[in-house]
Amino acid sequence: MSGAIDPQNALLPSAGSSVSHQKVELDIDLLPRRLKGRTEIVINPHSKELRSVRLNCRQCEIKRITANGRACPNFVYEEPYSKTTLPWEAGVHQHHMLRKKIEAQLKTPPEEELVINLPKSVRIDDLDPFSIEASAIAGARSSVGLKDDNVGELQSARTAIEPDRRYTPVTVVIEFATSQIRDGMQFVGWEDDDLRYPHAYTKSFSAPGGACCLFPCVDNSTARCTWEICIKSPKTVGDAVSLPQPSAVNGLGGLTNGVHKEPELFQSSMNAEDSALELAVICTGDLTDEVDDHAALGKKTSIFSCGIPLSAQQIGFAIGPFEHVNLAEFREGVEDDKLGQNAVPLHGFCLPGRVEEVRNTCLLMAKAIDFFTLEYGSYPFSNYKLCFVDDAFPESVHTGFLTICSNNLLFPADVIEPLERVSRQMVHALASQWMGVSVIPKEPNDTWVVVGIAYFMTDAFLRKLFGKNDYGYRQKQAADLVVDLDVGRPSIYDTGPLVGLDPFEAEFLELKAPLVLSILDRRFTKTGSTSGLSRIISRVFLNAKVGDLANGAISTSYFARMCEKLGHAKLESFFAQWVYGAGCPRFQVTQKFNKKKNVVDLLITQKQSEQSERDLEKETFMRDVKEEEHSVYAGPLQPVFTGPMTICIHEADGSPYEHLIEIKEAQTRVEILYNTKYKRLKRSKRQKERIATAGGVEYNPDGNDDVLLYCLGDVLQSEEEMQQWQLAEWPKETEEEMNQEAYEWIRVDSNFEWICRTTMSMPGYMFLSQLQQDKDVVAQLESVQFMANQKEHPLISTILLRTLMDTRYFHGIRTTAAAALVKHAKEGDMGWLGLFHLEKAFQHFFCYDASPIPQPNDFSDRAAYVIKCAIPQTVAKVRDGRGRSPIRARMFLLDKLKFNDNSDNEFSDSHYLSTLMEALAEAMASKPPPGQEMDADFSFDENDGDDIRFHNACLEELDRYRRTDEWLPSYHNILSRTALNCTRILSSAGVIDNNPSHLIQYSRDGTADGLRINAFSNLFQMGLAKNDAVLRWFLFALATDPSPYFREHAFRLLGQILGSYAIGQRSDSSTTHEHDGLIIEQEEASTETRKADLARRTTVHGALAALKDELQANEALKRALWTAIASPVLSFAELRQLLDICRLLYGPETKMIVKLRYPRYWRCRRVVGKAKLHFSTTDRVRTRPMPKRALLPPPPPPPPIPTPHPLPSPSTSSAGTKIKKEDSGGSESMPPPPPMARKPLFKPLRRPSEGEHGSAKPSPVRETPAAATAAAPEGEKPKLKIKLKIGPKPGLGEGK
């Protein structure tokens, strides 16, 4: 599959080597957000030819590298984040050019950025078994497990240091520094305007490329080694802000280059108590030492050691003023005695003031870790730590020994709503230490094994904690959701490599993988030969400890072999159908009782979930686009799902009889023997008892053959109660049919061994018997779901009401029954019976007698609290024939909101108020379906009461709670968020004016992340995504906000915005114009429009084409997107998302815009008194060529050359020829020659006309002899006359 990692290369920093140990030293300056460090990596060569080492390294400046103590100057490294911008003024159409620059970092896995070439002086020899290196290796093997009982650490360490030790190791030491921490760490509270406690922590390293942002390493999940981590940090908060800070770069939008930040500016907002808070370092591994740094005052060094092999992605730490909570104190004495020395220390760390919230949230962690230890084997590490921080995303980051959790998970003791959700997330974080950190997937396709086992362990503990009913109810809901979602999806085996593609892929894997393991567990436990899947999981952990599981990596084939070996069953077909295959079966079951044979004939027909054309949704639009681009296709659909299935027949005597059948074909016909002789008389028996009681006669069941079983739902049975509650009974004809039935009901797959959807052809009274007499909560839920799908009828409303009123039912069954009553709350023949039952039930449980005024809240009974929230939600959905909520339903909701009293309640009512507020807004905004007649502009019906005043009273109540939340904030500002939702609902329906400025004020910086995201979401749902100013503001916030939590949710919201543009609004109306013969053409155009509209709503290609048409010409969006891409805050993963969006919207244009400066005019001024001229440029720009200037006249001709005199006759002598120089001071008898006209040697250049050279300005030419030669007429040489006088040589004639 795309994105799969080669397991052979994943372990290697370069070809032919592996890492056995790494030491990391970090010196972190928190305020300027920079660090300097040193790492020592022990590399084991696999051959003597190893000459280079490749490592992952980002945002670091390499200072020095040595290998075995020898310098390595020949290393190749280019900081990847320096390539995240184009060096010219580009735009969104050049997205492909930017992507090409960073393509190496966007790969999965990314390419190594640091290449170290080993010097020739570093030799790799065979390892001498008697050498110091061999002794060190042997010492490392023995020193890992100093305790005799810690066999797991010893064996796990051997898996990392034993392979390929034939050559001497190479120790590479790298010194580095980071002046701008952009990724890898999150800093919170270090800005002046941030009033939170300052702290810092590592981000999630689940994807490659995160760990190497802090130190060079092999950033791969399968590259595991032992660790030693030394972190130097300030001792207190005051030390962190008062240490000398040179000019630094704030990677999150604070300081700029060369600007100093004075410590006093930061300390001005801190008091002495806050400055004295001690900074604690929480890190992966065991804390071995913590010493003060004498070289740097105000700093300390914390040293952690991890002798168990972990990958760099599983290393994490946090620095902050954390308070310690000993979570082991919640361990019960019996469990402590049972575990003995195997009791694991539990530590919680939180920011000041949140200790009680940690105690309440982590109350069950001690019980959970003890349960896992006894059920699945000893904890793989020496201790477990939980650290709660701000702005974390995801909400729990799993590292060795440590889980970094978001403060959003914390909740106080008076808030009960997030109990189940947070408890499951916290227990899963603990289970991930066994499966996810200690044991990892061998390949990405094996991710389902790790995810499934971790959640299977979580659900097993929650089953013990919350009970079987809660477990079964949630399992049934999850199975129904998988059946709906697993249509056209790849198998869970093929989903592993797609986890990083979109959040939905991981969510789907987390949903289906544990369900597959749960049905496998039921098939094991059904035979009774094994203890189920728990035994197999514990064996996997044991094999990982003793080294049988190489590198602690589990594969699908290995897990399948373990299941077959320990489960004593052949599982090839099971894994082929549920792991390697996709889809879920759907069964259609028909039954008939054969009196002649005394058997029940069953026909089970199997149909698969075939992929059908579905409409695109804006929430999943980006996921559909990504799957289309990455060619994510549906997995192989099984023609027939096979396996054992349990059929349970409840016969007339009330006894369930289970029968095991084997599904082998698409149609399975079976005959099941009937066992009892009794007839179905329970209903008539109950009717006799009720009649006798009404007549004042005691009913005596003795002497009757009737079999009476008291069951659930037998409330409100008296005649008086039936009249008060307007209940209905079965008609006589149905009673007679019931009496003739031979069995009560039949259940298919009664042991929940299939992820399927079953449709039974039983009559309704059999489903009623199943609802009332079957103790299995799954059977009860199936019955209520059947009732909810029936047409409205007084008898169905009666059954649902009795289910709601019987407190013996699980609260999930009761809330499902309450939600189903909305179908029976209709006018006409039903006479609002369902609404009456809902109002009556709420009044019975939560109001004063014969009064609609609610009693003071009491949430001590959690089931009652859930029912109290469920009934108003259902009342809000009641509609009349025009599609409007009736006035009585709105008055019901207003009364409950207006008279809510929480004064005597020990629990918070914020979530309950939120439910009432949203229910009231939904009821007020109700409107009929399109096409039905209604009052124009929602005009109020005068016959419906004083609707104007009622309307204003509802708005006043909603705004009152919004104002209250501003002064007394609720848990996570839930009332403010609900008020914003109500504003959006009412304004979209036209009930109130559309005033987006009210929501925009909640989107400003400094607002809580959850409230800010909610404000943006409501703005865009109100149609403000088409407002360029709002869209620019949103993209600016997305690109500059320092919170990863906010940015992640903003990216998801951006995908929904694009989805709304792409899909558009459905329009069924079309206009035609009749004009002569143009009717047909108009129909053709309308047909094309309908085809395009259908394509954009059903196909990805059609939606993308519509998206481009909508946004391609939006210049404001182009500029905002490209500005966001240039943000120094975004990580590579976030940058890739923006580049993907640009690729969807805009075509690539390979061009570079070059800008040249226009010439400017110059000015000249004279400097007075200094005889100088000062030239300077002006602001005036010249955009046109200079005008032609007239040339100067040619210079005058030179004076004529005088004519030379004739030479005298030479005199000869014995001495030879004499040459006499001409003397200017010669004889006076010789007169000077007369002046002679001199001719110019060269002709002057002729000035060209404008027609010859256009408008080109002639350039001056200096005449040279060469030019003169070239200018001579052809065939004529230039004449050069030289005059010489020949006379005797000086000194020859006079000396003789």
Side-chain angles (χ1 to χ4, degrees):
M1 292 295 294
S2 175
I5 300 175
D6 188 354
Q8 296 180 353
N9 295 332
L11 290 172
L12 309 179
S14 64
S17 64
S18 60
V19 177
S20 61
H21 180 76
Q22 183 167 357
K23 180 180 180 181
V24 178
E25 300 176 3
L26 299 177
D27 185 358
I28 303 176
D29 290 333
L30 297 173
L31 184 58
R33 307 179 188 189
R34 67 169 182 263
L35 64 83
K36 58 182 178 180
R38 176 181 180 273
T39 182
E40 181 179 320
I41 306 175
V42 179
I43 298 176
N44 298 319
H46 295 173
S47 66
K48 293 183 179 181
E49 288 74 21
L50 178 67
R51 302 316 305 166
S52 65
V53 175
R54 294 179 174 269
L55 299 174
N56 298 102
C57 183
R58 294 182 181 179
Q59 71 183 12
C60 295
E61 179 184 355
I62 305 299
K63 300 294 186 181
R64 185 168 179 266
I65 300 178
T66 62
N68 288 348
R70 294 172 176 83
C72 299
N74 298 327
F75 64 88
V76 180
Y77 175 68
E78 183 179 2
E79 206 283 297
Y81 280 106
S82 63
K83 301 184 293 184
T84 54
T85 56
L86 295 177
W88 64 87
E89 185 174 347
V92 290
H93 291 283
Q94 286 76 52
H95 58 82
H96 63 293
M97 304 176 71
L98 178 57
R99 191 183 189 95
K100 186 177 180 180
K101 289 184 62 178
I102 60 176
E103 188 66 31
Q105 280 67 44
L106 300 182
K107 294 180 180 179
T108 305
E111 295 181 1
E112 295 84 359
E113 296 83 3
L114 176 59
V115 180
I116 304 173
N117 296 314
L118 301 180
K120 295 181 179 180
S121 56
V122 177
R123 297 181 56 186
I124 300 176
D125 300 324
D126 293 332
L127 183 62
D128 185 2
F130 303 100
S131 63
I132 299 177
E133 291 83 355
S135 301
I137 295 175
R141 294 177 181 176
S142 59
S143 63
V144 173
L146 296 178
K147 297 180 181 180
D148 294 338
D149 56 349
N150 200 349
V151 180
E153 292 190 2
L154 173 61
Q155 298 295 340
S156 298
R158 286 179 179 174
T159 62
I161 62 179
E162 284 183 357
D164 296 321
R165 293 308 183 100
R166 296 179 299 170
Y167 306 102
T168 55
V170 178
T171 302
V172 176
V173 178
I174 306 174
E175 298 178 5
F176 59 93
T178 301
S179 60
Q180 181 180 359
I181 299 181
R182 175 171 176 169
D183 198 6
M185 282 192 70
Q186 178 66 20
F187 295 84
V188 181
W190 297 99
E191 299 292 339
D192 291 340
D193 55 350
D194 195 343
L195 302 180
R196 295 175 293 182
Y197 286 101
H199 59 285
Y201 57 91
T202 54
K203 296 181 183 179
S204 172
F205 297 155
S206 57
C212 63
C213 292
L214 299 181
F215 50 86
C217 61
V218 182
D219 199 346
N220 198 300
S221 60
T222 55
R224 315 181 83 182
C225 65
T226 57
W227 294 83
E228 182 179 351
I229 304 171
C230 304
I231 299 177
K232 182 187 293 187
S233 63
K235 296 173 62 176
T236 64
V237 175
D239 294 333
V241 299
S242 61
L243 290 175
Q245 308 292 347
S247 61
V249 176
N250 187 338
L252 299 181
L255 303 180
T256 56
N257 288 332
V259 179
H260 292 267
K261 184 172 183 178
E262 299 295 335
E264 290 76 16
L265 296 177
F266 185 84
Q267 288 183 331
S268 61
S269 61
M270 299 179 59
N271 53 36
E273 183 179 356
D274 292 339
S275 299
L277 291 174
E278 183 178 356
L279 293 177
V281 180
I282 318 300
C283 182
T284 296
D286 295 311
L287 179 61
T288 58
D289 199 3
E290 187 174 89
V291 296
D292 294 338
D293 192 342
H294 300 289
L297 297 179
K299 283 198 170 186
K300 64 179 181 180
T301 302
S302 303
I303 304 174
F304 298 86
S305 177
C306 178
I308 300 176
L310 296 174
S311 66
Q313 300 175 4
Q314 296 170 340
I315 302 298
F317 60 86
I319 305 173
F322 299 115
E323 296 182 357
H324 175 256
V325 181
N326 184 15
L327 300 177
E329 65 184 13
F330 297 108
R331 181 176 284 122
E332 298 178 1
V334 178
E335 296 178 350
D336 203 358
D337 297 338
K338 186 184 301 184
L339 292 170
Q341 296 182 354
N342 291 328
V344 181
L346 281 170
H347 307 281
F349 298 91
C350 63
L351 296 173
R354 314 203 73 165
V355 172
E356 292 304 321
E357 294 182 7
V358 172
R359 291 178 179 272
N360 181 72
T361 306
C362 303
L363 183 65
L364 48 80
M365 297 304 291
K367 184 181 290 294
I369 199 169
D370 294 342
F371 173 82
F372 290 154
T373 301
L374 295 175
E375 188 76 12
Y376 303 107
S378 61
Y379 180 66
F381 306 109
S382 58
N383 60 77
Y384 181 57
K385 293 168 281 192
L386 288 161
C387 186
F388 293 88
V389 296
D390 288 325
D391 295 346
F393 188 88
E395 292 185 333
S396 58
V397 178
H398 312 306
T399 65
F401 296 78
L402 169 67
T403 299
I404 300 177
C405 303
S406 171
N407 278 331
N408 293 334
L409 295 176
L410 296 177
F411 62 97
D414 61 343
V415 176
I416 60 177
E417 195 275 338
L419 177 62
E420 288 92 349
R421 176 182 61 85
V422 173
S423 297
R424 190 169 192 263
Q425 195 161 349
M426 297 301 298
V427 176
H428 174 259
L430 177 60
S432 297
Q433 294 292 312
W434 272 271
M435 183 60 70
V437 177
S438 177
V439 179
I440 60 175
K442 187 175 182 179
E443 296 182 10
N445 295 85
D446 304 318
T447 305
W448 79 271
V449 182
V450 174
V451 173
I453 292 179
Y455 275 102
F456 178 84
M457 295 169 60
T458 302
D459 294 337
F461 171 74
L462 294 180
R463 179 182 182 181
K464 179 182 179 182
L465 183 68
F466 294 138
K468 295 181 179 180
N469 285 340
D470 181 87
Y471 173 78
Y473 179 77
R474 297 185 184 279
Q475 289 278 300
K476 175 59 177 175
Q477 284 186 321
D480 292 342
L481 184 58
V482 168
V483 173
D484 294 333
L485 295 178
D486 197 5
V487 179
R489 300 285 313 159
S491 64
I492 58 175
Y493 180 80
D494 294 330
T495 304
L498 307 175
V499 168
L501 187 63
D502 188 80
F504 174 80
E505 311 296 340
E507 294 170 1
F508 178 77
L509 196 62
E510 294 169 358
L511 183 67
K512 185 176 180 179
L515 276 177
V516 172
L517 295 182
S518 66
I519 63 175
L520 178 62
D521 176 66
R522 291 188 183 93
R523 295 191 182 186
F524 282 149
T525 56
K526 184 175 182 179
T527 59
S529 57
T530 65
S531 58
L533 197 61
S534 299
R535 178 189 174 192
I536 300 172
I537 296 174
S538 61
R539 178 62 66 87
V540 170
F541 294 146
L542 179 61
N543 292 348
K545 290 179 181 179
V546 301
D548 290 347
L549 203 60
N551 200 35
I554 189 172
S555 64
T556 302
S557 58
Y558 176 86
F559 180 70
R561 289 195 303 269
M562 291 292 297
C563 292
E564 290 181 346
K565 179 179 179 181
L566 300 179
H568 308 291
K570 293 293 183 181
L571 299 175
E572 293 181 2
S573 61
F574 180 88
F575 277 83
Q577 296 169 13
W578 298 105
V579 177
Y580 300 105
C584 298
R586 299 170 185 263
F587 294 106
Q588 178 72 37
V589 182
T590 58
Q591 73 285 337
K592 182 180 179 182
F593 180 68
N594 190 332
K595 295 183 180 179
K596 188 174 183 179
K597 296 183 178 180
N598 199 28
V599 296
V600 178
D601 293 329
L602 283 179
L603 177 61
I604 303 175
T605 305
Q606 180 179 166
K607 296 181 180 180
Q608 308 305 327
S609 303
E610 298 181 357
Q611 185 175 7
S612 58
E613 195 76 14
R614 65 178 181 88
D615 288 348
L616 298 176
E617 300 177 359
K618 65 177 183 179
E619 290 79 8
T620 60
F621 170 73
M622 288 305 297
R623 187 248 298 178
D624 294 332
V625 171
K626 293 176 183 178
E627 291 181 349
E628 183 74 18
E629 289 186 345
H630 289 79
S631 302
V632 179
Y633 302 116
L637 190 63
Q638 300 296 317
V640 176
F641 281 81
T642 61
M645 177 178 288
T646 302
I647 308 296
C648 184
I649 300 181
H650 290 254
E651 299 186 3
D653 61 349
S655 301
Y657 293 89
E658 291 189 350
H659 306 271
L660 184 63
I661 65 173
E662 191 74 19
I663 302 295
K664 296 182 180 180
E665 298 177 353
Q667 282 192 348
T668 303
R669 186 181 300 274
V670 294
E671 293 182 352
I672 300 176
L673 183 63
Y674 191 72
N675 297 289
T676 185
K677 64 178 180 178
Y678 296 99
K679 292 183 179 181
R680 194 178 191 277
L681 301 176
K682 302 180 183 63
R683 178 64 56 181
S684 60
K685 176 76 174 187
R686 191 175 299 112
Q687 184 180 15
K688 294 177 183 178
E689 182 182 18
R690 184 172 58 251
I691 295 174
T693 304
V697 181
E698 182 179 358
Y699 177 70
N700 184 14
D702 296 339
N704 294 290
D705 294 334
D706 297 342
V707 178
L708 180 61
L709 294 178
Y710 287 99
C711 54
L712 300 174
D714 56 353
V715 296
L716 306 178
Q717 294 287 342
S718 65
E719 294 294 337
E720 181 182 0
E721 291 174 332
M722 294 187 64
Q723 292 179 1
Q724 292 179 355
W725 290 79
Q726 300 181 14
L727 304 181
E729 268 296 341
W730 294 97
K732 293 184 178 180
E733 297 81 5
T734 307
E735 290 274 0
E736 294 178 357
E737 292 181 10
M738 295 165 58
N739 295 336
Q740 299 299 322
E741 293 290 349
Y743 52 86
E744 293 287 334
W745 73 93
I746 298 177
R747 278 196 67 198
V748 176
D749 189 26
S750 59
N751 288 343
F752 203 171
E753 301 166 301
W754 292 71
I755 304 174
C756 63
R757 178 162 294 163
T758 305
T759 303
M760 299 286 298
S761 60
M762 294 190 306
Y765 50 79
M766 288 191 176
F767 280 100
L768 174 61
S769 298
Q770 177 176 316
L771 173 64
Q772 293 180 338
Q773 300 178 35
D774 201 322
K775 297 181 180 180
D776 188 1
V777 69
V778 176
Q780 298 169 5
L781 183 58
E782 290 174 349
S783 299
V784 175
Q785 290 173 345
F786 172 82
M787 299 292 178
N789 293 328
Q790 304 305 306
K791 294 180 62 176
E792 60 273 8
H793 194 276
L795 183 58
I796 304 297
S797 183
T798 299
I799 296 172
L800 295 175
L801 174 65
R802 284 172 171 164
T803 304
L804 173 61
M805 298 299 296
D806 195 341
T807 58
R808 294 172 294 178
Y809 279 110
F810 177 65
H811 62 78
I813 303 300
R814 298 173 64 192
T815 55
T816 305
L821 278 171
V822 68
K823 194 172 185 178
H824 308 275
K826 294 183 179 181
E827 55 185 347
D829 296 338
M830 293 298 297
W832 302 110
L833 181 61
L835 179 59
F836 171 76
H837 285 164
L838 288 170
E839 294 173 336
K840 189 75 172 176
F842 192 93
Q843 193 275 335
H844 174 80
F845 285 122
F846 310 112
C847 296
Y848 292 102
D849 293 340
S851 173
I853 305 302
Q855 297 179 353
N857 294 330
D858 181 13
F859 297 158
S860 57
D861 185 355
R862 181 171 179 81
Y865 166 77
V866 174
I867 299 300
K868 193 171 186 178
C869 293
I871 293 179
Q873 289 177 329
T874 306
V875 172
K877 294 179 174 61
V878 176
R879 299 291 182 268
D880 59 13
R882 298 179 300 169
R884 296 188 61 184
S885 175
I887 185 64
R888 59 187 287 190
R890 286 175 282 161
M891 291 185 64
F892 170 86
L893 296 172
L894 178 62
D895 290 341
K896 305 308 175 283
L897 184 62
K898 186 175 183 179
F899 298 105
N900 178 70
D901 183 7
N902 204 58
S903 57
D904 297 333
N905 189 16
E906 61 177 335
F907 299 99
S908 170
D909 63 343
S910 58
H911 286 87
Y912 174 63
L913 288 174
S914 172
T915 301
L916 292 177
M917 292 171 63
E918 202 149 359
L920 179 59
E922 183 181 353
M924 293 177 61
S926 60
K927 56 183 179 180
Q932 292 189 9
E933 295 183 0
M934 57 172 294
D935 297 336
D937 298 329
F938 280 91
S939 60
F940 298 111
D941 190 355
E942 296 179 356
N943 299 326
D944 214 7
D946 193 0
D947 223 359
I948 295 291
R949 286 187 295 178
F950 172 78
H951 171 81
N952 294 332
C954 293
L955 297 180
E956 177 61 28
E957 282 300 314
L958 295 175
D959 193 61
R960 179 170 71 91
Y961 284 106
R962 181 191 63 81
R963 297 193 306 268
T964 302
D965 194 55
E966 292 180 354
W967 292 99
L968 297 174
S970 58
Y971 176 74
H972 288 177
N973 303 106
I974 185 173
L975 293 183
S976 295
R977 288 188 291 162
T978 305
L980 298 185
N981 294 339
C982 296
T983 301
R984 183 253 308 164
I985 293 173
L986 296 176
S987 62
S988 299
V991 178
I992 61 176
D993 294 334
N994 191 346
N995 185 12
S997 60
H998 178 67
L999 277 74
I1000 291 179
Q1001 64 178 341
Y1002 288 95
S1003 66
R1004 297 177 299 181
D1005 291 335
T1007 309
D1009 289 343
L1011 186 57
R1012 196 179 183 198
I1013 286 292
N1014 182 272
F1016 276 120
S1017 177
N1018 284 296
L1019 281 171
F1020 294 138
Q1021 291 184 58
M1022 292 168 61
L1024 269 295
K1026 297 183 178 179
N1027 187 299
D1028 291 342
V1030 176
L1031 192 57
R1032 286 198 308 267
W1033 165 235
F1034 170 72
L1035 289 174
F1036 174 81
L1038 178 146
T1040 59
D1041 195 282
S1043 172
Y1045 177 87
F1046 175 84
R1047 294 202 303 271
E1048 175 63 27
H1049 287 81
F1051 271 106
R1052 298 186 183 186
L1053 188 56
L1054 179 59
Q1056 297 179 16
I1057 296 173
L1058 298 179
S1060 62
Y1061 272 108
I1063 300 171
Q1065 296 181 354
R1066 179 175 299 180
S1067 178
D1068 296 330
S1069 61
S1070 60
T1071 59
T1072 57
H1073 304 279
E1074 297 185 8
H1075 182 69
D1076 297 335
L1078 299 179
I1079 298 178
I1080 298 178
E1081 293 182 4
Q1082 181 64 30
E1083 289 180 356
E1084 291 178 356
S1086 178
T1087 302
E1088 294 298 327
T1089 303
R1090 288 196 297 268
K1091 288 182 178 180
D1093 183 68
L1094 179 63
R1096 74 184 300 182
R1097 287 187 288 104
T1098 57
T1099 65
V1100 174
H1101 295 290
L1104 289 178
L1107 180 63
K1108 289 183 179 181
D1109 293 339
E1110 292 280 350
L1111 298 178
Q1112 197 168 19
N1114 192 329
E1115 296 296 332
L1117 177 62
K1118 291 181 180 181
R1119 292 191 297 268
L1121 268 178
W1122 195 250
T1123 303
I1125 288 174
S1127 170
V1129 179
L1130 302 180
S1131 64
F1132 274 116
E1134 294 166 335
L1135 186 60
R1136 174 169 49 192
Q1137 295 186 57
L1138 290 179
L1139 292 177
D1140 289 341
I1141 292 174
C1142 291
R1143 188 178 70 250
L1144 296 178
L1145 297 178
Y1146 312 107
E1149 296 180 5
T1150 305
K1151 66 180 182 179
M1152 177 187 298
I1153 301 177
V1154 180
K1155 289 189 174 181
L1156 301 178
R1157 296 184 61 186
Y1158 280 116
R1160 298 178 181 271
Y1161 286 91
W1162 288 75
R1163 71 162 60 93
C1164 177
R1165 66 182 181 88
R1166 182 172 60 87
V1167 181
V1168 181
K1170 295 185 179 181
K1172 294 182 179 180
L1173 296 178
H1174 184 269
F1175 293 88
S1176 62
T1177 58
T1178 65
D1179 295 334
R1180 184 183 173 191
V1181 178
R1182 182 167 61 87
T1183 59
R1184 296 181 179 179
M1186 292 290 291
K1188 300 184 184 309
R1189 299 183 182 272
L1191 297 177
L1192 295 176
I1201 301 176
T1203 304
H1205 294 279
L1207 296 176
S1209 301
S1211 57
T1212 58
S1213 62
S1214 60
T1217 304
K1218 295 183 179 180
I1219 300 177
K1220 183 179 179 180
K1221 291 184 180 180
E1222 186 179 23
D1223 189 5
S1224 61
S1227 172
E1228 294 181 1
S1229 62
M1230 184 179 293
M1236 178 179 178
R1238 182 178 299 174
K1239 293 182 178 181
L1241 293 177
F1242 308 106
K1243 294 181 179 180
L1245 293 176
R1246 183 173 60 87
R1247 178 179 175 184
S1249 62
E1250 292 184 2
E1252 293 179 28
H1253 298 286
S1255 60
K1257 182 179 179 180
S1259 58
V1261 178
R1262 176 173 296 178
E1263 295 181 2
T1264 62
T1269 305
E1274 185 179 359
E1276 181 181 352
K1277 298 182 180 179
K1279 298 179 180 180
L1280 179 62
K1281 297 181 179 181
I1282 301 176
K1283 179 182 179 182
L1284 297 176
K1285 288 184 178 181
I1286 303 176
K1289 293 183 179 180
L1292 292 179
E1294 296 155 339
K1296 294 183 178 180

